[in-house]
Amino acid sequence: MSKKLRHRGPDWSGTYVGKETIMCHERLAIVGVDSGAQPLVSDDGKTILAVNGEIYNYVALRKGLKNQDAVFKTHSDCEVIMHLYKEHDTDLCNMLDGMFSFVLLDESVTPSRVIAARDPIGITTLYQGYNSKTPETIFFASELKAINEECDVITAFPPGHFWDSRTNSFERYFKPTWWQGDSGNPADIPHNPVDYTLLRETLEDAVRKRLMAEVPYGVLLSGGLDSSLIAAIAARETEKVANAQHERREAKIKAQEQGGSGYKTPDLLHDRECFTSAAVNKHD
Ligand SMILES: NC(=O)C[C@H](N)C(=O)O
């Protein structure tokens, strides 16, 4: 089954075989490239997690944990989900800023518990299925093709919901106030005056956080207004980050030069050289 999803991630194929649950993950490494192979297994070996997605606010969430001694085994943006689960149970879903589908297995309880969730608007895909002859076995997968031979009932996992094996049911966690616009009552439709500055800043912020990557990224450019705007913001933000890195390097070299001996370490000089040529290439 996992092989059918291999195209989703060239970087790692991982499998966890638990008491009653098997989890497989095909990874496209984006954050915590060297350490974040999945499924992630907690320090005590009792929480297991597979995620498709990016958690943009993972640094802030980590800082906000009640248990500041929580052991992080990787630099993955996704690991914080396991720690949030310990502190907030399913309320964790509302704390994530990102695009994600995940399945979390809790083997510290008997019977073991499974939580699955999908991001608020369903940016990432997730399907749930079962076979009517063995309905107690539940399948989850990012693509239908992984489970369609095993299951005769398959549904798209509803966005903004989590599923809990304790209740065998879905619950909506995403309940923004503007959602009431669906009620059909015109009074429930927000009618704030348009604020173009806020609109621009929100768009910039949305693009900025999506640039969170330790690997090269690209923008699919159609030439239309939306993708051109996004590409322009992404290019500007990327340049800002590159300039800030350049300034930090220069400051480091200067500090070293002024620090008495005037000796420039070969590493620092090489670093400057590489960085300057990289910056030149970027502008070509
Ligand atoms: N790419 C993913 O879906 C998981 C995680 N964000 C990673 O970088 O490995």
Side-chain angles (χ1 to χ4, degrees), residues 18-261:
K19 287 185 233 156
E20 304 156 316
T21 310
I22 300 176
M23 283 165 88
C24 302
H25 193 266
E26 301 295 330
R27 181 178 188 217
L28 175 67
I30 296 173
V31 175
V33 171
D34 297 331
S35 60
Q38 298 195 31
L40 298 168
V41 180
S42 64
D43 200 33
D44 62 4
K46 303 235 164 100
T47 312
I48 301 92
L49 176 72
V51 187
N52 168 30
E54 312 306 315
I55 310 301
Y56 304 127
N57 60 342
Y58 75 102
V59 176
L61 288 172
R62 188 174 165 160
K63 283 191 189 139
L65 285 174
K66 287 181 213 148
N67 176 12
Q68 280 300 307
D69 297 327
V71 177
F72 278 77
K73 290 168 67 185
T74 75
H75 294 113
S76 167
D77 53 315
C78 301
E79 191 175 351
V80 76
I81 294 177
M82 295 200 287
H83 297 283
L84 291 172
Y85 170 71
K86 284 189 186 138
E87 297 188 2
H88 303 276
D89 206 85
T90 51
D91 286 346
L92 84 91
C93 300
N94 258 323
M95 302 168 78
L96 305 177
D97 175 8
M99 46 178 269
F100 57 84
S101 297
F102 70 80
V103 177
L104 181 148
L105 167 64
D106 179 357
E107 293 209 317
S108 68
V109 289
T110 313
S112 52
R113 181 185 186 196
V114 175
I115 306 282
R118 191 172 175 200
D119 64 65
I121 59 167
I123 301 173
T124 58
T125 52
L126 188 63
Y127 295 89
Q128 189 197 44
Y130 64 91
N131 190 309
S132 41
K133 288 190 197 117
T134 52
E136 64 289 348
T137 306
I138 310 283
F139 295 79
F140 294 97
S142 295
E143 290 183 32
L144 276 172
K145 62 166 82 73
I147 55 175
N148 71 344
E149 278 175 31
E150 310 294 329
C151 305
D152 55 11
V153 181
I154 302 181
T155 45
F157 195 104
H161 285 67
F162 67 83
W163 177 88
D164 190 343
S165 60
R166 280 191 178 158
T167 55
N168 189 15
S169 63
F170 292 100
E171 196 175 313
R172 170 173 281 287
Y173 69 84
F174 182 59
K175 299 171 187 159
T177 49
W178 48 262
W179 201 264
Q180 291 152 4
D182 272 4
S183 70
N185 178 359
D188 284 340
I189 298 174
H191 44 267
N192 303 336
V194 63
D195 179 342
Y196 290 111
T197 308
L198 182 64
L199 193 62
R200 179 172 51 75
E201 286 170 358
T202 308
L203 180 63
E204 284 169 346
D205 202 35
V207 175
R208 197 177 299 124
K209 63 180 157 189
R210 282 167 178 79
L211 300 178
M212 177 187 86
E214 293 167 15
V215 289
Y217 46 79
V219 178
L220 199 59
L221 194 56
S222 73
L225 186 63
D226 299 348
S227 63
S228 305
L229 264 175
I230 288 167
I233 297 170
R236 199 173 58 196
E237 292 299 325
T238 305
E239 194 163 339
K240 266 193 217 163
V241 172
N243 287 342
Q245 272 173 358
H246 184 59
E247 272 162 31
R248 273 203 299 277
R249 277 181 166 82
E250 285 299 314
K252 204 166 144 192
I253 293 170
K254 271 200 196 103
Q256 195 116 19
E257 284 170 359
Q258 288 160 3
S261 68

